[in-house]
Amino acid sequence: MSVGEEVRAEQGTPQQSLGTAAARNLATTTKSVPQMQEISSRWLLRTLPWVDVQGGTYRVNRRLTYAVGDGRITFVKTGDRVEVVPAELGELPALRSYGDDEVLSELARRCSQMEIAAGEVIASFGNRTEEVYLLAHGRVEKIGTGPYGDDAVLGVLADGAYFGEQALLDPDASWEYTARANTPCTVLVLSRADFEQVAERAETLREHLRELRALPVQRTNKYGEKEIELAAGHSGEPDIPHTFVDYEASPREYELSVAQTVLRVHSRVADLYNQPMNQTEQQLRLTVEALKERQEHELINNREFGLLNNCEYDQRIQPHDGVPGPDDMDELLSRRRGTKLFLAHPRAIAAFGRELNRRGLVPETIEIGGNRIPTWRGVPIYPCGKIPVTAARTTSIIAMRTGEQDQGVIGLRQSGLPDEIEPSLSVRFMGINEQAIIKYLVTAYYSAAVLVPDALGVLENVEIGRWQ
């Protein structure tokens, strides 16, 4: 009964026409299909070039590269005390491929913790390198000398980085830059004296260092690849160098990952409640949407093939002032040729916009698929809510070159699956059980591959909660 009908009943006025509540029982309402808040723009899935993979595996062949130990170091924090994970010391060039856990544990115990105030100089240019520093938390600037004697920032180091590693191999090494704390920092320090004391008692470590020093110096290009011997600018009849292009003996292989679920629909629902909307179709539609959201999340965050975990260390940079600024985006662009796109959390895009506003800059926008997308230097900045935001309100911005022809980042899938509804996405009927429940297996196969290291770059530890 409507409010008007209730009032008339209370006043004793007889009803003169059919009420709306009763009429609604005979009316067909206009309704929407089921809505879902989880659906996002999924720009990564839309912009990534997809390559069909036969056999479920994609192998990335590269030129032979002589890698040095330049990864991230992991720490364990207990209260105010910070300790390095012993096995993580293998990231240092002097300990690369060294696997004696007892010796690594002894070296980890000898690392002393230091708290450094913002602005304090940790190491000075030209001084002897006596210690290696493991940066557990904070930002450190590498300061060099400019062409006119002024200070020049060579780079910024952040959580998990290390510097001064040459002290472990070369007793005559000296600092080639000044290391200055940009924020309050927590570092672990391993002195060369402690390292040598451990090496004196550990035969395996001494043997490892002897083998390391005996390795011939390989001629490489600036990317660490074995150099191809060439001659240019010569005249007459000099001897032309002989060369060949060597390949990695064990190239990386990417296996397709899978996301699956079993959708269940009762046959009574499918039979009796299929008008005006097909219940099974709507259930499948929303399930596929959730599967694609998970697919994009995995492409960003998966430990094996996710973009954030597969970016090389030398392609990771830190913002100079914490907030994402134009200078940081320019540096991110400069690390690779032909950057096709940025991916950033919407809050990181807002933080970048605040920095542009502060400087009086207005970014250009372009229209893509009916959406206005902001750009920087002509490169679109796509929003991606799958990029994580930490409890400290920091996040990352990803820059990519894409496509096989450009040696970029590619998506991997296998089309032609049985019962396929989209490339590499299938819905298979699994039968009806004794409870009259219909079951469908919904499956998506996917992965991503970085063809060469400089195809992918990340601006890390971007602060999104600071307002100027």
Side-chain angles (χ1 to χ4, degrees), residues 287-408:
T287 301
V288 167
E289 293 285 358
L291 204 63
K292 289 181 178 179
E293 294 292 331
R294 183 56 181 267
Q295 179 181 354
E296 187 173 68
H297 178 275
E298 292 292 303
L299 290 172
I300 294 289
N301 299 288
N302 187 279
R303 294 184 63 84
E304 295 297 325
F305 59 84
L307 299 180
L308 289 177
N309 294 302
N310 279 270
C311 182
E312 295 290 334
Y313 181 66
D314 60 0
Q315 295 297 325
R316 300 173 183 266
I317 64 175
Q318 307 297 323
H320 286 81
D321 193 36
V323 295
D327 302 330
D328 303 311
M329 299 292 276
D330 283 342
E331 185 173 355
L332 193 57
L333 280 175
S334 71
R335 296 297 182 99
R336 68 202 44 77
R337 58 179 171 82
T339 302
K340 293 291 181 64
L341 60 97
F342 292 106
L343 281 177
H345 193 280
R347 295 176 65 185
I349 297 177
F352 180 56
R354 289 194 297 270
E355 187 64 15
L356 294 180
N357 292 339
R358 189 177 71 86
R359 302 191 185 192
L361 302 175
V362 179
E364 296 180 356
T365 61
I366 57 175
E367 184 171 341
I368 301 178
N371 298 277
R372 299 300 301 181
I373 303 297
T375 67
W376 182 249
R377 306 295 189 194
V379 179
I381 308 174
Y382 293 107
C384 180
K386 313 300 190 306
I387 299 176
V389 175
T390 68
R393 292 179 295 180
T394 62
T395 184
S396 301
I397 297 176
I398 300 172
M400 288 191 295
R401 182 177 66 246
T402 59
E404 273 189 311
Q405 295 299 319
D406 289 333
Q407 300 183 106

Side-chain angles (χ1 to χ4, degrees), residues 102-120:
E102 291 187 10
V103 176
L104 292 176
S105 297
E106 175 62 23
L107 290 172
R109 284 192 292 269
R110 289 179 176 250
C111 292
S112 58
Q113 181 175 338
M114 289 179 57
E115 301 294 333
I116 300 173
E120 185 176 340

Side-chain angles (χ1 to χ4, degrees), residues 53-62 251-257 304-307 310-312 408-410 412-413 446-453 456:
V53 175
Q54 300 302 316
T57 302
Y58 185 89
R59 178 180 297 154
V60 178
N61 290 307
R62 294 177 179 172
R252 179 170 179 179
E253 293 184 346
Y254 293 85
E255 294 185 0
L256 291 184
S257 183
E304 295 297 325
F305 59 84
L307 299 180
N310 279 270
C311 182
E312 295 290 334
V409 181
I410 58 174
L412 306 177
R413 66 186 181 191
Y446 56 89
S447 187
V450 183
L451 299 187
V452 295
L456 176 65

Side-chain angles (χ1 to χ4, degrees), residues 18 73 141 161 188 196 230 250 256 269 287 302 305 317 321 388 390 422 442 451:
L18 180 66
I73 295 178
E141 288 183 332
L188 298 183
E196 291 175 347
L230 302 170
S250 302
L256 291 184
V269 172
T287 301
N302 187 279
F305 59 84
I317 64 175
D321 193 36
T390 68
E422 293 182 17
V442 187
L451 299 187

Side-chain angles (χ1 to χ4, degrees), residues 96-220:
R96 189 168 180 82
S97 74
Y98 180 69
D100 192 323
D101 293 337
E102 291 187 10
V103 176
L104 292 176
S105 297
E106 175 62 23
L107 290 172
R109 284 192 292 269
R110 289 179 176 250
C111 292
S112 58
Q113 181 175 338
M114 289 179 57
E115 301 294 333
I116 300 173
E120 185 176 340
V121 173
I122 303 172
S124 298
F125 171 79
N127 289 351
R128 248 177 122 181
T129 309
E130 301 285 350
E131 299 154 321
V132 56
Y133 294 90
L134 314 178
L135 182 55
H137 181 68
R139 283 202 312 270
V140 172
E141 288 183 332
K142 297 165 64 174
I143 308 297
T145 303
Y148 302 104
D150 55 339
D151 288 345
V153 178
L154 305 179
V156 180
L157 305 174
D159 304 8
Y162 58 83
F163 50 101
E165 65 277 5
Q166 63 272 21
L168 304 184
L169 287 176
D170 183 5
D172 298 322
S174 59
W175 287 99
E176 298 178 351
Y177 54 84
T178 295
R180 184 175 63 201
N182 186 248
T183 66
C185 295
T186 299
V187 299
L188 298 183
V189 182
L190 176 62
S191 67
R192 183 168 65 235
D194 283 336
F195 182 78
E196 291 175 347
Q197 287 178 12
V198 174
E200 287 177 3
R201 297 200 301 267
E203 175 60 30
T204 57
L205 182 54
R206 292 200 303 274
E207 180 62 26
H208 171 79
L209 295 176
R210 279 197 294 269
E211 292 177 357
L212 195 62
R213 294 186 175 109
L215 288 176
V217 178
Q218 300 289 347
R219 291 172 58 87
T220 63

